[in-house]
Amino acid sequence: MDSRSSYLLLRVKAPDKALEGSGPPKRASSNVRKLLRLLWKEWPTLCTGIVGLSVSSLTNLLFPKVLGAALDVACGRPPPRNLSQKAFLLSVLSIFLTGASASFVRVYCLGSVAETTTKRLRDRLYAALLRQDILFFSTTERTDLVHRLTKECQVAADSAVAILAEGYRSLNSSIGASFMLFRLSPKLTLFALATLPCLGISAMSFKLFMNRLNKKYEAELARLRASTDEKLGAVSAIKLFTQENYELELFKDETALVASTARKYHAAEGFFMGGLSLSINASLSSVLWIGGSIVAKGDLTTGGLTSFLLYSGFMCLGFSQLSTLASRVRSTNESTAALFELIDDDEIVGKDDKVLAKPSLVGPITFEQVSFQYPTRPEVPVIQNCTWSIPQGAMVALVGASGAGKSTISSLVTKLLTPSSGCIKVNGVALSDIDTTYLRQHIGSVRQEPSLFSTSIMDNIRYGNPAATDEEVHNAAIAAHAHDFIMEMPNGYDTLVSSTTISGGQKQRIALARALVKKPQILILDEATSALDGHSEHGIQETLRQLEEITVIVIAHRLSTIQSCDTIGVLENRQIVETGTYAELNASGTAFYSLVAAHAFEESE
Ligand SMILES: Nc1ncnc2c1ncn2[C@@H]1O[C@H](COP(=O)(O)OP(=O)(O)OP(=O)(O)O)[C@@H](O)[C@H]1O
């Protein structure tokens, strides 16, 4: 099991006790049933499609009979059921027209059902993804998720419709055609059926072999996709280390492996198709041989034999489709397992939701014996029995060596992560008792590499507070020292983020404006001004000082930022080991002093 799915199991079964018990595996066999239940939500269109399918199957079944009768009429025999030639022609035409109309209804209605089901699956999956916590995204390939949302949802819905429609149609053709064959000539039917089990068994075993090859091919392709995604994401590192040729050779090896498996699959497919055509030709010739002698004896007409041959084709097609149905159900169950794992998980999470408090967040933030370790590395605690109190309205610097756990602490305060033990309180209320949406609506958070969306700068800032007026957006941008450079852009606030080159520092200031427009009660800046020059950063510090009532937690590597804070918390050995002002801590023997001596901080520009 990969780390992502083991993580999912952890969340669902034992959110607080990492890696304890994995529970019984979910049964993939029910996925097709879930898909069929989703199809049923469109029952009026689905039923209309099935009526169309039934009618087109029936007209298809009548086709060989009609064709045989037409051949006999062309050979000079009278039309069946004492019909005149004109009436016979008209009835043939009406059968064909009915079949064509039924095909339209079938294709349109079943296609609509597939599309609506795809939409339903995509909506549910997207909702499920938005509910996952950040750890999920750090252990899951983003390209896989996008693929799941776009392609896999479509394939799953199409497969469910195909299983239903093809299953129904194959059943109709195999049973209907066998019935018609017996009616035409029981003797010839028994002869034709005798070869069927042999053909069926060899075709099925060969198909299984091909499925195995196909799975191998898919797995190799997935590996290629993941490694290409990783390499293209790190293309600057490849260039800087001049490893282009090495990477190209690695890529060539991987594509060679994929191509070789694909060739094996095509060879097997060619062998299968060749064998199939050989056995069909052999059985058709023998049916024709025996059938010819029956016609010669006068027990069957030439038209009857033609109908018989066509019905044999229908029957073979029906049985072969039925035989592949089981493997199609199995492959759909398997290919949709990851999809339903996410969707079902979301349903479980949803059921556990309870109504939480929305207290005032104006008050101190306190850490009480807080411990945390990432579920993917349960043996390495990042924070352990950490106790810390951040006074309300203070501007606090959180410092520590790289990897000490500063960003982890900021994620714990915003509830992006949940402590493994202990408790974080805001204004005396435990975070676990505070409504998450409410909490995040009142916390502004800016990270070192903020994500901006490909809309206008105005929309990006307003993302922090959709109800903000233009004036409020401008004020937030002024406070974040972003207004001037925004106004210098070709379309000012309407400039599209994707249409212009925005520097790291400009991005950070837009992100700060987006956090400020919320009018937060707590502001967390995680290296949020690292790309700014000293002058701009100083201006922002001044602005933050003027924001009354807001508690600001600053994670910074720049000494000037730290110096301007009211108090400093030093994170070392998984705990806050010291707190105090810069003047108090900047003395020989303190952990802070050791950090300064170890050049953990940049000097001001
Ligand atoms: N998603 C994750 N899964 C597992 N371990 C993680 C994850 N994110 C961070 N860690 C680990 O947790 C520890 C603390 O990381 P964190 O990013 O909180 O440190 P930091 O003090 O903010 O570091 P820096 O100053 O370099 O940004 C590190 O050892 C890191 O490798």
Side-chain angles (χ1 to χ4, degrees):
M1 188 187 286
D2 60 16
S3 63
R4 180 193 50 74
S5 43
S6 63
Y7 165 65
L8 273 175
L9 276 175
L10 279 175
R11 271 197 63 225
V12 176
K13 305 286 173 196
D16 292 328
K17 293 193 176 123
L19 290 181
E20 256 184 33
S22 53
K26 286 177 185 173
R27 277 180 56 225
S29 58
S30 53
N31 293 341
V32 167
R33 221 177 305 148
K34 288 176 196 164
L35 281 170
L36 293 179
R37 271 205 296 270
L38 275 180
L39 295 188
W40 188 244
K41 286 185 188 273
E42 294 301 309
W43 67 267
T45 323
L46 186 67
C47 290
T48 316
I50 288 178
V51 169
L53 182 64
S54 311
V55 175
S56 71
S57 300
L58 196 71
T59 52
N60 278 349
L61 216 55
L62 285 177
F63 176 71
K65 180 96 179 132
V66 169
L67 213 71
L71 193 67
D72 283 342
V73 171
C75 291
R77 286 174 180 272
R81 298 177 196 276
N82 296 328
L83 289 173
S84 67
Q85 284 218 353
K86 199 175 159 193
F88 176 68
L89 270 175
L90 275 176
S91 38
V92 170
L93 198 65
S94 59
I95 289 173
F96 287 175
L97 279 176
T98 311
S101 318
S103 288
F104 169 78
V105 172
R106 165 180 67 86
V107 171
Y108 176 73
C109 291
L110 294 182
S112 298
V113 171
E115 283 311 317
T116 318
T117 306
T118 304
K119 181 195 177 307
R120 234 181 257 279
L121 276 173
R122 282 184 182 143
D123 293 349
R124 283 175 65 175
L125 181 58
Y126 195 61
L129 290 179
L130 289 182
R131 288 184 72 114
Q132 297 298 326
D133 62 36
I134 51 163
L135 292 179
F136 169 81
F137 293 96
S138 63
T139 49
T140 315
E141 291 291 337
R142 214 165 54 212
T143 45
D144 278 353
L145 296 180
V146 174
H147 182 75
R148 210 158 283 163
L149 256 174
T150 49
K151 190 82 185 149
E152 281 184 23
C153 287
Q154 180 83 62
V155 171
D158 286 349
S159 300
V161 170
I163 286 169
L164 190 74
E166 277 174 25
Y168 183 70
R169 191 169 40 191
S170 330
L171 210 65
N172 278 349
S173 349
S174 44
I175 295 176
S178 311
F179 175 76
M180 296 303 269
L181 283 173
F182 267 107
R183 276 197 59 189
L184 280 167
S185 170
K187 192 172 152 193
L188 199 53
T189 306
L190 286 176
F191 174 77
L193 283 178
T195 56
L196 207 62
C198 244
L199 275 177
I201 289 170
S202 23
M204 263 165 70
S205 1
F206 213 82
K207 270 275 176 198
L208 285 178
F209 172 65
M210 282 171 61
N211 281 349
R212 269 203 301 275
L213 273 179
N214 193 35
K215 261 190 204 162
K216 192 168 171 234
Y217 171 76
E218 290 291 341
E220 279 163 8
L221 203 62
R223 262 199 300 277
L224 178 72
R225 201 171 54 228
S227 77
T228 312
D229 182 52
E230 185 195 354
K231 296 295 163 61
L232 290 182
V235 79
S236 50
I238 295 175
K239 282 181 186 291
L240 287 172
F241 288 97
T242 60
Q243 293 295 327
E244 290 96 330
N245 289 338
Y246 170 72
E247 289 300 338
L248 183 61
E249 288 311 312
L250 275 187
F251 186 78
K252 280 182 182 169
D253 287 348
E254 285 183 62
T255 48
L257 201 67
V258 173
S260 138
T261 311
R263 268 196 298 275
K264 277 186 205 150
Y265 178 82
H266 291 307
E269 191 179 33
F271 199 69
F272 177 74
M273 296 311 282
L276 198 69
S277 107
L278 182 73
S279 29
I280 288 175
N281 288 343
S283 73
L284 269 182
S285 325
S286 38
V287 167
L288 258 181
W289 182 263
I290 307 281
S293 66
I294 296 176
V295 171
K297 276 191 212 152
D299 292 344
L300 194 66
T301 64
T302 319
L305 183 59
T306 311
S307 305
F308 191 94
L309 285 174
L310 287 171
Y311 278 126
S312 318
F314 270 49
M315 184 189 69
C316 283
L317 202 69
F319 278 125
S320 85
Q321 280 175 343
L322 274 182
S323 73
T324 56
L325 203 65
S327 74
R328 183 149 201 174
V329 169
R330 198 173 43 245
S331 70
T332 305
N333 273 326
E334 284 168 8
S335 63
T336 53
L339 189 73
F340 277 107
E341 196 175 359
L342 275 167
I343 292 177
D344 294 349
D345 179 45
D346 184 54
E347 283 164 4
I348 293 166
V349 171
K351 275 177 199 149
D352 285 348
D353 274 358
K354 52 179 181 181
V355 179
L356 294 172
K358 296 180 178 176
S360 159
L361 300 179
V362 180
I365 303 170
T366 49
F367 284 63
E368 295 174 7
Q369 299 287 316
V370 174
S371 298
F372 176 81
Q373 68 271 344
Y374 286 94
T376 46
R377 291 168 68 197
E379 69 289 355
V380 187
V382 179
I383 309 290
Q384 204 166 29
N385 299 328
C386 177
T387 297
W388 190 25
S389 179
I390 301 170
Q392 198 276 316
M395 190 156 146
V396 183
L398 174 60
V399 302
S402 178
K406 303 180 293 293
S407 299
T408 304
I409 285 196
S410 85
S411 297
L412 286 167
V413 175
T414 47
K415 269 180 100 172
L416 286 175
L417 297 173
T418 310
S420 322
S421 65
C423 174
I424 301 174
K425 289 181 178 168
V426 178
N427 195 20
V429 185
L431 285 189
S432 53
D433 292 332
I434 300 178
D435 182 88
T436 307
T437 308
Y438 170 81
L439 177 83
R440 291 186 189 150
Q441 276 165 352
H442 293 83
I443 295 187
S445 174
V446 188
R447 294 179 166 238
Q448 187 173 9
E449 286 175 11
S451 317
L452 297 185
F453 300 104
S454 49
T455 53
S456 66
I457 291 180
M458 175 69 89
D459 286 347
N460 265 286
I461 297 178
R462 194 174 272 137
Y463 199 77
N465 175 10
T469 61
D470 284 3
E471 197 190 345
E472 285 171 323
V473 170
H474 292 169
N475 287 341
I478 291 167
H481 287 247
H483 181 74
D484 290 347
F485 80 78
I486 294 173
M487 291 311 285
E488 281 166 20
M489 288 191 166
N491 296 312
Y493 280 86
D494 293 328
T495 306
L496 291 179
V497 166
S498 51
S499 71
T500 183
T501 312
I502 296 186
S503 72
Q506 289 173 334
K507 266 191 185 176
Q508 287 186 337
R509 280 179 280 174
I510 294 174
L512 183 59
R514 179 170 64 184
L516 291 177
V517 83
K518 263 181 167 184
K519 299 194 175 74
Q521 284 159 350
I522 298 166
L523 185 63
I524 302 175
L525 306 178
D526 186 350
E527 299 280 347
T529 50
S530 59
L532 298 189
D533 57 84
H535 174 71
S536 305
E537 199 193 9
H538 182 71
I540 288 173
Q541 302 295 337
E542 283 306 306
T543 311
L544 295 179
R545 298 216 138 272
Q546 287 158 20
L547 300 172
E548 286 168 9
E549 298 258 292
I550 297 188
T551 307
V552 186
I553 303 173
V554 185
I555 298 170
H557 278 135
R558 204 174 273 167
L559 214 47
S560 62
T561 316
I562 298 162
Q563 279 166 340
S564 66
C565 289
D566 301 321
T567 171
I568 302 166
V570 183
L571 183 61
E572 196 177 81
N573 295 330
R574 303 177 283 278
Q575 292 181 342
I576 297 289
V577 290
E578 276 170 11
T579 54
T581 61
Y582 177 75
E584 286 164 355
L585 295 186
N586 192 28
S588 171
T590 63
F592 180 73
Y593 195 79
S594 309
L595 280 173
V596 176
H599 303 288
F601 308 115
E602 287 170 24
E603 293 296 334
S604 312
E605 285 167 22

